[in-house]
Every structure is written in C-alpha cells, then in structure tokens.
Amino acid sequence: MGEVVEVMNSSPTPPRPETTAPPPVICLPPFRHQSPSLNQYPRSDSIPKTPKSPFVGRIMSTPLASPMKKALSTMHGYLEEVGHLTRLNPQEAWLPITESRNGNAYYAAFHTLSSGIGVQALVLPLAFAYLGGWSWGIISLSLAFVWQLYTLWLLIQLHESVAGTRYSRYLQLSMAAFGQKIGKLLVLFPTMYLSGGTCVTLIMIGGETMKIFLNEIACRNQLCNFHPLTIVEWYVVFTCSAVVLAQLPNLNSIAGVSLIGSITAVAYCTIIWTMSVAKGRPMGVSYGPPPSEVKSDLGRLCSALNGLGIIAFAFRGHNLVLEIQGTMPSSLKHPSRLPMWKGVKFSYLIIAMCLFPLAIGGYWAYGSSIPTNGGMLTALYQYHRNDVSKVILGLTSLVVVINCLTSFQIYAMPVFDNLEFRYTASMNKPCPRWLRMGFRVFFGCLAFFISVALPFLPSLAGLIGGIALPVTAAYPCFMWIMIKKPAKYSGMWCLNWVLGCLGMVLSVMLVFGAVWSIVALGIEVHFFKPH
C-alpha cells in the first residue's frame, strides 16, 4: 500500500473534470470584501436610490460595480457643486444679464437700492395730498411697502422653483406660470414699458436738472461767458453721457455704477427732506385737497386713486429682481435665493429710511402746494431758492444728475438683453461688439426722441403706476399658485389669491381714476415742445 501511494504521488496529476472547477466569479465576492484596496469605495447605501434599468442591474452585479458606484458618487457631488446646469445653454452666456454669474449679496444690494429709489419718490407728498392727509397717506404707504416686499420675496423664491431651471427674467417666469402666449401678453408690455418709460423720464429729469444746475446755480452771477443751451440740447448732453456709460458689457459690470447710484439716491433724498423741514413751511401752506381737485364725490375718489397710483409707481422695480438674481452663482448647497434675500433686506431697510421721511417731511413742509412736476426737487427751488445756500442747491442738482445717469443703466439693461436675444436666437452666435454698441446707441436715440416728442409723460405718474401695479402686486401671487401649487384653502393659497385679485382690481381702479383725472382736470399736452 505504501508503494502504491508513493507511485500515485509521483505520477502526474490527471486533469480534473471541467464540471468540478468553480467559476472564477464564485471566489470574487469574498476577495472584494477582504481587499483593502476595494474597501475604500463607498458602500451601496451611500449612493442615492434611483430606479434601475435591467441593464444597470446586470452591470452592478459584476466586478465593475464598485468603480461605477465611485463614479456615480463623484458625479453626484460635482452636480451639487456646479448647480442646475443652467450654463449648458450657450445663449444664456451670450446675453448681458446672464453673461456673468459672479454676483453676490453686495451686488444685489447695490442694484436693488439703485432701482428701488428714484426720482419718482419725489412726488410722494403729492400722494398724501390726494389721499386726504396724514392718516390715509401713511397707512397707504406702509401697506404698499409691506405688500411689495412680500411679492419681492415670492419672486426670489420662484427664481429656482423648478429643478434644473433658473428664471433669470420676469418674462420667462411669467411664461412658465401662465403659458407662452398668455404670459407674454400679460408681462411683455408692462415690463418693457417700465424699463423704457423710466429711461425716458430719466432723460427729462436729468436734462432739466443739468440746465438748472449750470444756468441758474453755477452761472447765476453771469460768470459763465457762453450762450445757454436749450432744454433739447441738454437732453442731448444727458443722452450721450448715458449711452457712453451704457457700453459696459453686462449687469455685473455695472455693480460699481449701481453703488454710486445708491449713494447719490440716499444723498439727494436726505438733503431735500432735511432742508425742506429745516427751512420751515412757506406762507399759505394748507393741508386740504389740491386747488385743482374737482369738488365732487367722484372727483375725490378718483383723486384718491391717483394718489395710490403715485405710491404704486414709487415702488416699481420688480421687473428687475429676477434679472439681478440671475447674475449670481447657484448650486443645490448654496442657492442664489439666500444671498439675494440678504441684499434685498438691507437695501429695503435703506429705502424705507429714505421714502418715509421724504413723504412725511415733504407733506409737512409744502402740504397740498407740492408741485406736480418735479415734486420735492421743484419745491426746493421754488420756495427756498433765496434762503438755501447755493452750494447746497448745486450739490443737490449734481447728485440728482449722477443718480439719473446711473439709474439709466440698470433700467436699460433688460431692453439691451431683449434686443440681443433676438439676434442670438436667429443667428445662433454671440452678438458682435460693434452690433452691441449699435443696439445701445439705437435705444438711447429712441428714448431721446420720445422724451422730446412726449414731454408730458411725467404728468402721467398715476396712470403709469396703475398699469405697472400687477407686475408688482398681483402677478407674483398668481405665479406662486401656478408653479408651487400650494394645498387648496391653505394659508399661502388663500393669501396669494386674495392679494392677487385685490391687486388686479386695484390696478383697474387706478387706471380709471388716472384717466378720469386727466379728462376732468386736464394736463398740458404739447408735442415736440419740451420746456
């Protein structure tokens, strides 16, 4: 037996049957768990649970499973850092609003403050006179401030309400909420009218203030030896200055311009109301209804509606909120709504500190004698030209001109963006620099033509406020309902329906009141005759 064993051990080993050899895959699972080089990969429970196709199921059951899980985990983290892939759309990177996405909360505060305070705030005391005095004026101004701040919060939240999409323009959000045709019909004209109409008004006020500053303040004592320019020539000077400044490429590039605009807006609001209060009330100031008001129930109602329209026009600027937020980077971990809301809260705190003293102090100083054209600025020149230092008057005029130039840039940017959108959509390539310059020169010339042809536009502040009111007070509420779809009869559902419907009804009433006041009281209509 021992010899047999020795012979068997010394003989070559016969080949084993194929059926007895285990497949290599049987030994792989224990090797995979025991290898330190493979244990470093994430476990399967760390990968997001997603529906698996049969093909993926077969792949994940093979030795390739761990490297694929590693790749999926890495890509998932990358997508969280990059955000919602909005920059994959090349057209977004070609347009002035979304060309640069390196904004922050400071930029948002500068832009919001520059667009939130404007020369339209100078006629707020006139709204108090139309509304019948202190009580209704302060109540209406406070309610309007809270209302528009709430709808501003809605727009900021709706900017990234759909995963993978950023609504960087008010028109885009409107079409997403109401549909392509209805959304464009509701929003395109009011937003473009707010942008273009505001630029036209800025040309008028800026040109008139330039004339006042040079002809009546700097050269009051005949120290300037040149022929004074006409008002149309001053319009040309202001428009050329604004167009030259408008050559900055995108919305983020004008952050410094908006900072200067914010500082000058706060400066002239503060100077005007403090000087008006410090110098006391002129003789014969009354707090009754304006002398031109029709003495009838319908007349008083329409005057009150006109006052509400002036307040609504003072709080315009919602057509720029989504555009400002679109200049910020955004990711799933760091959404743009957080720094945007921080910037908005800071800016609107400053806005409240400017508008409320301006309205209350201006109404105390001038009552119902506040001029309808120019408001507090005209009243300061009219009643205190002789008892206020020429340096103060000159400084006030200078900062108003600078603010008009800077505000022109941010309000014109949506128009520039829309013009370039038409070109890039049809040609499928970015807009050349020479054509971009041409678009901006064309818009400046068009705004100048309208300012000369229709010099009575500032007298239509109540009508403009009524037309623009849905953009500020109503549409954001309906957009929230259509996109977020809150539970029926919930708190947000009821609140937004009430505010949205109230905003639409109020808009119709404001337009009616403004039209009735224009027909009953009349305005000085003169085409191509600015003065």
Side-chain angles (χ1 to χ4, degrees), residues 87-106:
R87 295 310 297 266
L88 291 181
N89 182 5
Q91 192 177 11
E92 290 287 313
W94 297 339
L95 299 177
I97 290 177
T98 52
E99 188 177 58
S100 173
R101 290 190 186 268
N102 59 354
N104 51 45
Y106 298 102

Side-chain angles (χ1 to χ4, degrees), residues 53-361:
S53 65
F55 175 76
V56 175
R58 295 190 189 100
I59 293 294
M60 298 304 284
S61 62
T62 65
L64 297 176
S66 294
M68 289 193 66
K69 291 178 182 178
K70 175 68 174 179
L72 289 176
S73 178
T74 303
M75 181 173 290
H76 179 73
Y78 174 75
L79 292 179
E80 284 190 344
E81 292 298 326
V82 170
H84 301 305
L85 300 180
T86 53
R87 295 310 297 266
L88 291 181
N89 182 5
Q91 192 177 11
E92 290 287 313
W94 297 339
L95 299 177
I97 290 177
T98 52
E99 188 177 58
S100 173
R101 290 190 186 268
N102 59 354
N104 51 45
Y106 298 102
Y107 287 13
F110 301 157
H111 290 315
T112 306
L113 191 55
S114 179
S115 61
I117 302 179
V119 291
Q120 74 282 349
L122 297 177
V123 295
L124 279 176
L126 184 63
F128 279 43
Y130 283 141
L131 290 169
W134 302 97
S135 301
W136 285 110
I138 295 175
I139 291 173
S140 301
L141 186 62
S142 302
L143 291 178
F145 181 82
V146 175
W147 191 347
Q148 60 89 33
L149 190 60
Y150 169 71
T151 53
L152 195 62
W153 178 83
L154 292 180
L155 290 175
I156 293 173
Q157 301 301 314
L158 290 174
H159 177 79
E160 295 174 286
S161 54
V162 177
T165 304
R166 293 184 68 178
Y167 300 111
S168 300
R169 294 158 188 85
Y170 199 102
L171 181 60
Q172 292 177 347
L173 183 61
S174 175
M175 291 190 295
F178 306 126
Q180 291 285 116
K181 294 183 178 179
I182 298 179
K184 187 177 295 186
L185 180 65
L186 292 175
V187 168
L188 183 60
F189 174 74
T191 53
M192 289 296 105
Y193 183 79
L194 278 173
S195 297
T198 302
C199 290
V200 170
T201 305
L202 291 172
I203 290 177
M204 295 180 183
I205 296 176
E208 292 170 2
T209 310
M210 280 182 168
K211 180 181 179 181
I212 293 173
F213 172 72
L214 192 63
N215 294 351
E216 300 186 19
I217 298 176
C219 300
R220 183 189 297 180
N221 298 325
Q222 305 297 328
L223 298 177
C224 302
N225 298 321
F226 61 88
H227 182 72
L229 300 179
T230 64
I231 188 62
V232 176
E233 291 172 335
W234 281 117
Y235 286 0
V236 173
V237 173
F238 181 89
T239 304
C240 292
S241 304
V243 169
V244 170
L245 194 58
Q247 300 307 317
L248 293 172
N250 52 62
L251 189 55
N252 261 340
S253 65
I254 65 170
V257 176
S258 294
L259 173 60
I260 296 174
S262 305
I263 296 173
T264 53
V266 174
Y268 76 71
C269 287
T270 305
I271 292 174
I272 290 175
W273 77 260
T274 52
M275 293 305 300
S276 299
V277 172
K279 294 300 179 180
R281 291 175 290 185
M283 296 295 295
V285 170
S286 65
Y287 298 96
S292 59
E293 185 178 346
V294 177
K295 305 300 187 294
S296 65
D297 293 338
L298 182 60
R300 285 190 290 270
L301 175 62
C302 292
S303 295
L305 292 176
N306 200 21
L308 293 177
I310 293 174
I311 293 177
F313 185 56
F315 287 120
R316 90 276 184 271
H318 281 49
N319 58 311
L320 297 172
V321 173
L322 296 174
E323 284 80 353
I324 296 172
Q325 192 172 356
T327 63
M328 295 182 173
S330 185
S331 66
L332 296 178
K333 292 182 178 179
H334 306 285
S336 61
R337 65 178 180 271
L338 299 180
M340 182 66 189
W341 182 238
K342 290 181 181 178
V344 166
K345 286 189 295 184
F346 172 79
S347 61
Y348 269 82
L349 176 62
I350 304 299
I351 290 173
M353 295 171 61
C354 291
L355 296 189
F356 280 88
L358 187 69
I360 297 172

Side-chain angles (χ1 to χ4, degrees), residues 406-428:
T406 55
S407 299
F408 185 95
Q409 311 308 315
I410 191 169
Y411 274 98
M413 196 60 71
V415 181
F416 300 156
D417 187 86
N418 191 44
L419 292 174
E420 294 191 27
F421 173 79
R422 305 301 174 186
Y423 175 84
T424 56
S426 60
M427 304 300 293
N428 196 26

Side-chain angles (χ1 to χ4, degrees), residues 500-520:
C501 294
L502 182 60
M504 294 302 297
V505 172
L506 190 59
S507 174
V508 174
M509 295 178 64
L510 293 183
V511 172
F512 169 77
V515 172
W516 188 91
S517 298
I518 292 173
V519 173

